[in-house]
């Protein structure tokens, strides 16, 4: 074990979260041991357990931190194109999902039904839904309720689809992103008097190149 550094409680917690996040991303949930976390952090097991009384508590804190960071990075602005905002939000989440495949699968498969983890997920999805409702052109309260229901179902659809894709990649990351974006735009159009995304779709079905004059970003990065 490396020499222990004295840290303020908040700094020690942040360090332990960083170590936990790294290990949960690198290994399946069952393979991460609290002893390994303590060793990586250079602390005693007793000190680790003072901050996090169990592996479940550590994982929940790691996942909550990730949800907070994803929400902070996902911004919706009525002045910007809805399409590009959706693309940006999907890219951000998919980047996290790919980099933290084991943690995402643990939350959605190994700990499926766990009330603490499910609450973290539900709160993030509710926050995303509220932000989208705030930027959409909603004529009245009945439209708002209908759109809210569509968004709630769509966000669950995206989560299930992305988790399945992490298990078995049946398409490219860019295709997955565009399927998700296209699904919500297609579902919203019948409910809104104004087309929320006249720039979508950006290419003809089956075409390999983006429509001239419209942006196209490859979320795969290579």
């Amino acid at each position: 074990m490396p020499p222990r550094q004295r840290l303020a409680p908040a700094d020690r917690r942040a360090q332990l979260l960083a170590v936990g996040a790294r290990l949960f991303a690198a290994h399946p949930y069952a393979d991460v041991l609290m002893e390994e976390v303590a060793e990586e952090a250079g602390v005693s097991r007793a000190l680790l357990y003072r901050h996090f009384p169990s592996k479940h508590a550590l994982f929940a804190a790691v996942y909550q931190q990730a949800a907070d960071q994803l929400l902070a990075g996902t911004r919706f602005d009525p002045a910007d194109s809805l399409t590009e905002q959706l693309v940006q939000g999907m890219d951000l989440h998919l980047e996290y999902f790919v980099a933290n495949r084991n943690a995402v699968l643990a939350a959605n498969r190994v700990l499926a039904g766990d009330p603490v983890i499910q609450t973290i997920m539900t709160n993030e999805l509710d926050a995303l839904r509220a932000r989208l409702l705030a930027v959409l052109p909603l004529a009245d309260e009945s439209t708002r309720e209908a759109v809210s229901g569509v968004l709630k179902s769509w966000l669950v659809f995206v989560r299930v689809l992305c988790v399945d894709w992490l298990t078995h990649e049946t398409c490219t990351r860019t295709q997955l992103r565009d399927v998700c974006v296209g699904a919500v735009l297609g579902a919203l159009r019948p409910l809104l008097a104004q087309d929320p995304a006249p720039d979508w779709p950006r290419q003809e079905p089956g075409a390999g190149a983006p429509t001239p004059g419209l942006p196209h970003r490859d979320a795969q990065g290579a």
Side-chain angles (χ1 to χ4, degrees):
M1 180 185 297
R4 185 189 307 177
Q5 295 179 321
R6 283 192 167 276
L7 296 174
D11 293 334
R12 179 64 71 191
R13 177 182 171 82
Q15 180 214 15
L16 294 173
L17 281 173
V19 172
R22 185 166 65 251
L23 291 177
F24 285 123
H27 307 287
Y29 181 81
D31 294 346
V32 177
L33 304 177
M34 290 294 272
E35 292 82 356
E36 184 181 6
V37 176
E39 182 177 355
E40 286 265 339
V43 302
S44 67
R45 282 182 290 176
L47 179 56
L48 172 60
Y49 280 110
R50 281 206 294 273
H51 285 273
F52 302 103
S54 66
K55 180 169 75 170
H56 175 274
L58 175 60
F59 182 84
V62 166
Y63 214 70
Q64 180 66 70
Q65 179 176 260
D68 292 342
Q69 291 171 347
L70 287 170
L71 281 174
T74 306
R75 296 183 175 86
F76 297 106
D77 187 337
D80 295 334
S81 160
L82 177 62
T83 298
E84 287 308 303
Q85 292 177 84
L86 288 168
V87 167
Q88 182 271 338
M90 284 300 309
D91 280 345
L92 183 69
H93 279 73
L94 286 173
E95 182 179 353
Y96 172 79
F97 292 165
V98 170
N100 297 272
R101 183 186 305 263
N102 285 309
V104 174
L105 292 177
N108 288 275
R109 294 282 171 83
V110 180
L111 298 174
D114 179 90
V116 175
I117 303 303
Q118 290 303 311
T119 296
I120 294 170
M121 292 182 184
T122 299
N123 288 343
E124 186 197 359
L125 296 185
D126 285 347
L128 289 170
R129 177 163 51 116
R131 293 184 185 185
L132 281 167
L133 285 170
V135 301
L136 287 169
L138 305 176
D140 50 43
E141 187 58 31
S142 64
T143 302
R144 179 183 178 84
E145 290 181 6
V147 169
S148 179
V150 166
L151 292 176
K152 182 175 183 179
S153 297
W154 174 71
L155 287 164
V156 173
F157 160 79
V158 168
R159 188 182 79 179
V160 172
L161 185 62
C162 290
V163 170
D164 286 347
W165 179 80
L166 286 176
T167 305
H168 181 50
E169 295 184 15
T170 54
C171 62
T172 69
R173 190 163 136 190
T174 299
Q175 288 171 330
L176 175 66
R177 179 200 69 193
D178 288 354
V179 165
C180 294
V181 172
V184 71
L185 294 178
L188 289 175
R189 280 188 171 121
L191 299 174
L192 303 175
Q194 176 184 343
D195 190 337
D199 56 340
W200 188 275
R202 295 176 297 184
Q203 61 185 51
E204 294 297 325
T211 302
L214 291 176
H216 185 80
R217 294 186 299 174
D218 187 347
Q220 297 191 97

